[in-house]
């Protein structure tokens, strides 16, 4: 398992010290204070502190990248890359088991998912409208490779793979929390830097090309960022459910007007879902990924219902106002042109 | 002075299906070219060649004196797609966010400056949609949406507007107002290339007409166009210019 691979193999104390500062002093300290103030004891356990850190990271990057995917009708690319990441995990575990080396499965997952992202993007570029077909081929193909690799190593790694399939708070070791934190920073910076071209390409791909923006480059960037998010979020969400964090919070934020604001709202919805989901998962000792997804869907349903009711009320009020105005002036008209 | 658009003996095919054959055409700066032709005549493809979205198989297409497909100054071209409703989709962008995109070719990564914000505000004002700047683009009427796309091109300080049947699905009144706006922009010096299926509209507003059906059947002023039989030749049967008396 990844937990046994010390980060110190990468290099010296620097990473360890940074991790100690971020994880223990800053994040741990913050949650300790919170635990002291609220009396909620689980906030003080290092295990749950790491789980909450993972929850926050996933809620930040999932909707951030998902906002671009959903509005390009590419929501399912997340699912495809998650399955590619599964093949990567299987490859990592296979190499570890067969050759007795210590390759972190998350690293192989990242490499395989990023490659799959580029393959998918190339297929989409060449096949044009056949996006679904390209995605389905890569999705099932990589899952097939993963399943073959698992069984090829005599079932010994099948135990480890379950945690990746369904997600588990236990996989969030110190090292993995550090990796997730680094991935979150990377994705945040990349989206921040490329925000404008990504928005333009998402909104109007032809217009962006006419405006001289290198559309292919930003499509690839988005695909690779999706791969990074999927691999990062896979630890607690599980391969099968990870795509939900790219889609559901974005859907929940869809009543919000303004793209920037809708991204912020989707991150908020994501935070609500992951933090509540991790807590419930701990209390009732059930799968974290599933709990988070169910919570996210509940948030989405509540928001959708709320905005529908509000729209109805507004419409009724406008009708009333128009009627009153008409009675008062003996004419006039309500300006409700859309 | 170089022409805004200079197409020379351009040919383009999709696979082995020729769409544009040996077309030569120039659009001078400040001209308003109406591009007409039957469905499937290659109008959109020619427009895509002109704004550099495609490369000709043979021949050349120059935009502001440079090969169109290699033009680095993307902000000089404002493109208004056929169905902007489709382009907007469900994305919750506001009108102002769309118009700000016009400045992106100028500032793809760096912070907006005063001049960028002024250009956006002026563009919103110019096309008369400043009051709906905070509305979602997907919830506007077709006419308002088209104005937002024009504003995006104005914010970019584009020198050429390329429009592909911009008023499909727009009600008659908004259409008139939209073409009046195009006319005004043209008077102010904007070069315009417009694809339009309504020949009456084109002959009323454009200063030049090009009639296309794979090859170029006519290129000249609207008065001469209605006199010739280019239309019948291009459409392959009797087709009358619908008189418009508004």
């Amino acid at each position: 398992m990844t937990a046994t691979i010390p980060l110190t193999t990468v290099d010296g104390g620097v990473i360890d010290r940074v991790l100690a500062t971020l994880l223990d002093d800053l994040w741990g300290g913050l949650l300790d204070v919170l635990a002291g103030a609220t009396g909620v004891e689980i906030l003080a356990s290092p295990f749950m502190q790491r789980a909450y850190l993972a929850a926050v990271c996933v809620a930040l990057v999932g909707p951030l990248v998902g906002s671009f995917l959903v509005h390009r009708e590419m929501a399912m690319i997340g699912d495809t890359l998650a399955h590619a990441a599964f093949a990567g995990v299987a490859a990592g575990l296979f190499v570890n088991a067969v050759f007795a080396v210590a390759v972190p499965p998350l690293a192989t997952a990242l490499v395989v998912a990023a490659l799959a992202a580029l393959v998918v993007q190339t297929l989409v570029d060449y096949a044009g409208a056949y996006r679904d077909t390209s995605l389905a081929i890569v999705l099932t193909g990589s899952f097939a490779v993963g399943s073959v690799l698992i069984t090829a190593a005599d079932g010994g790694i099948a135990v480890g793979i379950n945690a990746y399939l369904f997600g588990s708070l236990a996989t969030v070791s110190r090292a993995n929390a550090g990796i997730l934190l680094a991935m979150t920073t990377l994705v945040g910076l990349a989206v921040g830097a490329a925000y404008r071209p990504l928005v333009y390409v998402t909104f109007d791909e032809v217009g962006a090309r006419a405006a001289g923006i290198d559309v292919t480059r930003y499509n690839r960037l988005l695909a690779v960022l999706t791969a990074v998010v999927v691999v990062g979020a896979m630890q607690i969400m599980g391969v099968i459910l990870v795509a939900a964090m790219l889609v559901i919070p974005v859907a929940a934020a869809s009543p919000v007007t303004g793209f920037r604001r809708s991204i912020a709202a989707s991150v908020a919805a994501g935070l609500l879902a992951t933090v509540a989901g991790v807590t419930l998962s701990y209390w009732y000792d059930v799968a974290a990924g599933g709990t988070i997804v169910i919570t996210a869907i509940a948030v989405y349903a509540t928001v959708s219902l709320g905005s529908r009711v509000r729209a109805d009320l507004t419409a009724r009020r406008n009708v009333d106002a128009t009627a009153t105005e008409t009675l008062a002036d003996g004419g006039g008209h309500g300006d409700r042109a859309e | 002075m170089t022409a805004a658009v200079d197409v020379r003996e351009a040919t383009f095919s999709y696979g082995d299906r020729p769409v544009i054959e040996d077309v030569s055409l120039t659009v001078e700066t400040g001209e308003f070219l109406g591009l007409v032709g039957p469905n499937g005549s290659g109008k959109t493809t020619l427009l895509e060649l002109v704004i550099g979205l495609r490369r000709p198989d043979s021949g050349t297409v120059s935009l502001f004196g440079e090969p169109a497909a290699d033009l680095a100054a993307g902000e000089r071209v404002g493109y208004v797609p056929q169905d902007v409703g489709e382009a907007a989709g469900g994305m919750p962008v506001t009108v102002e966010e769309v118009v700000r995109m016009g400045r992106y070719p100028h500032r793809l990564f760096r912070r907006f400056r005063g001049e960028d914000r002024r250009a956006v505000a002026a563009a919103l004002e110019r096309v008369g949609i400043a009051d709906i700047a905070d509305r979602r683009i997907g919830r506007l009427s077709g006419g308002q949406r088209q104005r937002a796309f024009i504003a995006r091109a104005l914010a970019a300080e584009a020198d050429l507007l390329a429009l592909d049947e911009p008023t499909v699905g727009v009600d008659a009144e908004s259409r008139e107002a939209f073409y009046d706006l195009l006319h005004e922009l043209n008077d102010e010096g904007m070069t315009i290339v417009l694809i339009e299926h309504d020949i009456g509209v084109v002959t009323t507003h454009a200063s030049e007409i090009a009639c296309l059906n794979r090859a170029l059947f006519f290129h000249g002023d609207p008065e001469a166009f209605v006199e010739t039989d280019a239309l019948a030749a291009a459409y392959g049967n009797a087709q009358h210019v619908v008189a418009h008396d508004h």
Side-chain angles (χ1 to χ4, degrees):
Chain A
M1 289 296 298
T2 48
T4 58
I5 296 146
L7 265 189
T8 38
T9 53
V10 182
D11 166 50
V14 183
I15 293 176
D16 259 355
R17 244 175 300 150
V18 170
L19 205 58
T21 311
L22 290 176
L23 224 59
D24 306 331
D25 300 347
L26 282 175
W27 181 251
L30 179 74
L31 290 197
D32 285 345
V33 170
L34 217 58
T38 58
V40 181
E41 295 214 339
I42 55 167
L43 291 178
S45 104
F47 171 79
M48 284 307 283
Q49 287 182 347
R50 284 197 303 270
Y52 281 121
L53 179 70
V56 169
C57 288
V58 170
L60 284 175
V61 290
L64 185 62
V65 171
S67 290
F68 295 99
L69 296 175
V70 166
H71 296 299
R72 309 197 62 187
E73 293 173 2
M74 287 184 69
M76 289 321 282
I77 197 176
D79 205 25
T80 304
L81 297 185
H83 285 78
F86 170 78
V89 167
L93 293 175
F94 179 80
V95 168
N96 286 344
V98 174
F99 302 106
V101 288
V103 184
L106 272 191
T108 48
L110 187 59
V111 170
V112 173
L115 285 176
L118 294 177
V119 169
V120 166
Q121 201 48 53
T122 309
L123 283 175
V124 167
D125 285 345
Y126 282 97
Y130 303 111
R131 275 183 180 167
D132 279 357
T133 319
S134 321
L135 292 180
I137 291 169
V138 177
L139 188 151
T140 49
S142 41
F143 210 71
V145 170
S147 65
V148 165
L149 284 177
I150 290 168
T151 45
D154 288 338
I157 58 177
V159 188
I161 213 81
N162 247 352
Y164 287 97
L165 270 181
F166 298 105
S168 158
L169 298 182
T171 53
V172 191
S173 63
R174 249 182 100 75
N176 283 352
I179 292 173
L180 187 53
L181 207 55
M183 283 175 167
T184 304
T185 312
L186 176 80
V187 170
L189 288 177
V191 172
Y195 177 79
R196 286 182 192 158
L198 285 175
V199 168
Y200 208 146
V201 170
T202 302
F203 176 67
D204 175 6
E205 191 170 311
V206 180
R209 278 174 59 206
I213 291 172
D214 188 342
V215 172
T216 312
R217 179 192 298 167
Y218 292 102
N219 280 341
R220 289 205 181 117
L221 175 70
L222 189 61
V224 170
L225 287 178
T226 309
V228 175
V229 169
V230 159
V231 170
M234 187 176 68
Q235 302 175 62
I236 61 167
M237 298 297 299
V239 163
I240 300 170
L241 291 176
V242 69
M245 283 313 289
L246 295 166
V247 178
I248 302 170
V250 179
S254 62
V256 174
T257 292
F259 193 61
R260 252 173 217 279
R261 292 177 59 206
S262 82
I263 291 179
S266 62
V267 167
L271 278 172
L272 189 61
T274 54
V275 171
V278 163
T279 310
L280 291 171
S281 146
Y282 177 79
W283 277 346
Y284 296 106
D285 193 20
V286 286
T291 318
I292 290 172
V293 172
I294 292 170
T295 318
I297 292 176
V299 172
Y300 166 68
T302 311
V303 169
S304 301
L305 204 67
S307 69
R308 171 60 58 87
V309 168
R310 214 182 62 165
D312 283 353
L313 284 179
T314 313
R316 199 167 304 162
R317 209 175 309 136
N318 280 344
V319 169
D320 289 348
T322 314
T324 321
E325 198 177 291
T326 314
L327 281 175
D329 312 341
H333 51 86
D335 184 17
R336 282 176 292 116
E338 273 294 303
Chain B
M1 194 167 148
T2 51
V5 177
D6 190 7
V7 181
R8 285 200 193 155
E9 292 162 14
T11 296
F12 184 86
S13 326
Y14 292 111
D16 54 3
R17 189 167 60 88
V19 195
I20 298 288
E21 272 179 312
D22 200 22
V23 169
S24 295
L25 180 73
T26 48
V27 182
E28 298 297 335
T29 306
E31 218 171 84
F32 186 155
L33 176 77
L35 198 52
V36 298
N39 285 335
S41 59
K43 301 185 296 274
T44 297
T45 307
L46 181 59
L47 192 71
E48 287 172 346
L49 286 168
V50 164
I51 61 176
L53 293 178
R54 297 183 186 282
R55 259 172 220 282
D57 296 336
S58 64
T60 57
V61 180
S62 314
L63 194 55
F64 311 118
E66 277 181 60
D70 300 327
L71 184 74
E75 72 274 9
R76 297 189 71 180
V77 181
Y79 175 66
V80 181
Q82 190 161 26
D83 188 355
V84 290
E86 188 68 29
M91 194 169 161
V93 285
T94 62
V95 171
E96 186 173 355
E97 281 178 315
V98 172
V99 178
R100 284 169 64 93
M101 287 177 202
R103 298 306 295 175
Y104 287 179
H106 298 267
R107 303 235 188 284
L108 203 51
F109 302 108
R110 281 171 299 152
R111 288 179 71 83
F112 268 29
R113 296 196 198 140
E115 60 189 283
D116 301 303
R117 283 184 283 273
R118 277 193 294 277
V120 170
L124 285 165
E125 202 64 53
R126 178 66 190 84
V127 304
I129 53 170
D131 54 330
I132 54 167
D134 294 332
R135 296 262 293 274
R136 266 168 102 132
I137 189 109
R139 296 203 181 142
L140 301 182
S141 71
Q144 288 171 324
R145 243 182 338 235
Q146 292 295 12
R147 281 170 184 265
F149 274 74
I150 298 278
R152 182 175 78 177
L154 294 181
E157 293 167 62
D159 299 311
L160 175 86
L161 262 184
L163 307 100
D164 189 350
E165 299 202 23
T167 59
V168 170
V170 173
D171 65 90
E173 201 178 323
S174 310
R175 257 180 75 163
E176 271 312 302
F178 182 77
Y179 282 113
D180 287 343
L181 173 66
L182 283 189
H183 214 121
E184 286 170 30
L185 293 173
N186 180 238
D187 285 343
E188 290 162 21
M190 177 76 81
T191 310
I192 297 177
V193 179
L194 166 76
I195 294 181
E196 174 59 63
H197 64 281
D198 186 333
I199 289 155
V201 164
V202 184
T203 49
T204 310
H205 294 280
S207 60
E208 293 278 309
I209 303 283
C211 181
L212 186 78
N213 193 358
R214 248 166 49 183
L216 197 60
F217 280 73
F218 177 87
H219 182 210
D221 60 66
E223 289 76 26
F225 178 62
V226 292
E227 299 297 320
T228 64
D229 54 0
L231 195 60
Y235 281 76
N237 56 17
Q239 168 99 16
H240 300 286
V241 177
V242 184
H244 276 252
D245 301 311
H246 295 290

